[in-house]
Amino acid sequence: MAARRLFHLLDSARLRLRIAWGGYYKFFARCRGVEFLGSCRFMGRPKFKLYPGTRVIVGDGCQFLSGHTDNLIGINRPCIVSVYNPGTVVKIGSGTGFSGTVIGAFAGITIGSRVKCGANTLITDGDWHPEDPRSGVARPVVIGDNVWLGVGVMVLKGAKIGDNTIVGANSVVTGEIPANVVAAGNPCKVIRSNNP
């Protein structure tokens, strides 16, 4: 029993230290041009890359979990936010959480408030490699409020997800998913209503 209590105290101290280091990461994110509209929590080191003329706006109370064990399901990479093309904006609402989430924007990404992004999710509005003629035109992504993206979900260009929707693990969202539903699959489709 004493050993268990000791390990709990050590884990608690480690957590407090990691949260304290979060202020350091927020400082460097600000230096890179990220705009914070309130407090945020960083655990592990996220990566932000903003090209000239781009913006990232983060609402109050957001969390970025980037360490391998910061989410109990396991995270295989840090949170990464990359914004390309002048005029492109990534806007994140308040109280939204990310666990090893990658966000890549060429046209614009809007993420609502209280969104839960499960471990190792991807949100992108482009095909990447724009120099390759096989790449299509980037199209904005919009994710509503109170959406829950399960582990490994990919939200791709042109996707729109309505408020209060749950997207199942490892789904690929390429089109429009309405509000208040549970959806899953590749491509992601509505399974049932999410209304009580």
Side-chain angles (χ1 to χ4, degrees), residues 71 73-74 77 97-102 115-123 143 146-155 161 165-173 181-185 188:
N71 179 322
I73 202 166
R77 62 189 178 213
F98 303 97
S99 293
T101 301
V102 173
V115 174
K116 293 179 179 78
C117 295
N120 311 314
T121 48
L122 167 70
I123 303 167
I143 299 173
N146 203 38
V147 169
W148 187 351
L149 303 177
V151 61
V153 167
M154 288 192 257
V155 180
I161 303 173
T165 286
I166 298 170
V167 179
N170 293 314
S171 296
V172 179
V173 184
V181 299
V182 175
C188 191

Side-chain angles (χ1 to χ4, degrees), residues 63-84:
Q63 292 190 61
F64 294 82
L65 307 181
S66 296
H68 294 297
T69 59
D70 290 336
N71 179 322
L72 294 180
I73 202 166
I75 297 172
N76 62 21
R77 62 189 178 213
C79 291
I80 302 171
V81 180
S82 301
V83 190
Y84 307 89

Side-chain angles (χ1 to χ4, degrees), residues 84-115:
Y84 307 89
N85 297 337
T88 302
V89 177
V90 171
K91 187 170 184 184
I92 300 167
S94 61
T96 291
F98 303 97
S99 293
T101 301
V102 173
I103 299 171
F106 295 84
I109 294 175
T110 302
I111 301 171
S113 296
R114 300 171 312 282
V115 174

Side-chain angles (χ1 to χ4, degrees), residues 29-53:
R30 272 200 172 120
C31 290
R32 292 192 173 270
V34 179
E35 302 168 43
F36 293 98
L37 303 181
S39 65
C40 283
R41 178 185 279 185
F42 293 98
M43 296 195 47
R45 183 180 176 194
K47 313 278 188 194
F48 291 93
K49 186 168 189 177
L50 283 71
Y51 280 76

